[in-house]
Amino acid sequence: MKSREALEELARVGPLLAPLVPLVEFRHRSWMTEDERGSTLAFLEAHGLAYVSVDSPVLSAANVLPRIAAATHEVAYLRFHGRNADTWNIRGAQFSGERFDWLYSADELRDWLEPIERLAAEGHEVYAMFNNNRHDYAPRSANELRRVLDEAGVDATGGVEPAPRLF
């Protein structure tokens, strides 16, 4: 939850991790409400911390943030958790794949096309990571995002099937 104490704690992170880029993914919506969003992003930028933009289900739960593509560092980081509202807050899950059981469609990934293009045009180095870790959903979704980017003519690296092994 956003508080003075949490801000003070975050302010200490950058120097502890230097020269690495500290990525901050909030787990409480209080950080990114309409009233708090501007000050949260400004704080992260002032302290050299990279905001993690999250794709998750649209829920009113406190642990789900709105889908906001923003960058507070030269590194822009997008994290795709999947959109399975039925399993997001499942109790008693044996493994995380039960919560993040979602295979992204091309249309869902196209929702991020404009934000990715905008962040890249602003000079950010954009990374997309998939945490929809049920079965092989993460690499399949990453490949689908790469296909969507390629179709749109957006320069990208990664997310390409490796060459087949010859031995």
Side-chain angles (χ1 to χ4, degrees), residues 1 25-31 54 62-65 79 81 88 99-100 131:
M1 185 166 219
E25 180 179 337
F26 295 111
R27 299 294 174 97
H28 195 275
R29 71 179 330 119
S30 62
W31 291 92
V54 176
N63 66 342
V64 179
L65 277 72
R79 191 150 183 228
H81 289 288
W88 186 260
R99 288 188 62 214
F100 307 118
N131 188 51

Side-chain angles (χ1 to χ4, degrees), residues 40-164:
T40 295
L41 295 174
F43 174 87
L44 293 175
E45 186 169 1
H47 289 86
L49 306 172
Y51 173 70
V52 175
S53 300
V54 176
D55 186 274
S56 58
V58 176
L59 295 170
S60 60
N63 66 342
V64 179
L65 277 72
R67 293 182 196 141
I68 297 168
T72 57
H73 191 277
E74 60 254 12
V75 169
Y77 194 91
L78 313 175
R79 191 150 183 228
F80 293 84
H81 289 288
R83 297 181 177 184
N84 195 335
D86 293 335
T87 61
W88 186 260
N89 283 319
I90 193 172
R91 299 282 185 226
Q94 297 297 310
F95 58 97
S96 64
E98 291 179 62
R99 288 188 62 214
F100 307 118
D101 182 7
W102 193 261
L103 180 61
Y104 280 93
S105 70
D107 285 340
E108 290 166 333
L109 294 169
R110 281 187 195 97
D111 292 346
W112 286 92
L113 189 55
E114 184 279 325
I116 289 170
E117 288 181 293
R118 178 179 46 80
L119 291 169
E122 291 171 358
H124 300 287
E125 189 173 332
V126 182
Y127 293 88
M129 301 299 289
F130 286 83
N131 188 51
N132 52 330
N133 53 5
R134 182 71 175 229
H135 308 297
D136 62 347
Y137 292 171
R140 286 173 57 193
S141 296
N143 282 329
E144 186 65 16
L145 176 61
R146 176 57 190 267
R147 191 183 66 72
V148 165
L149 294 171
D150 287 347
E151 282 179 357
V154 177
D155 287 335
T157 60
V160 176
E161 288 287 330

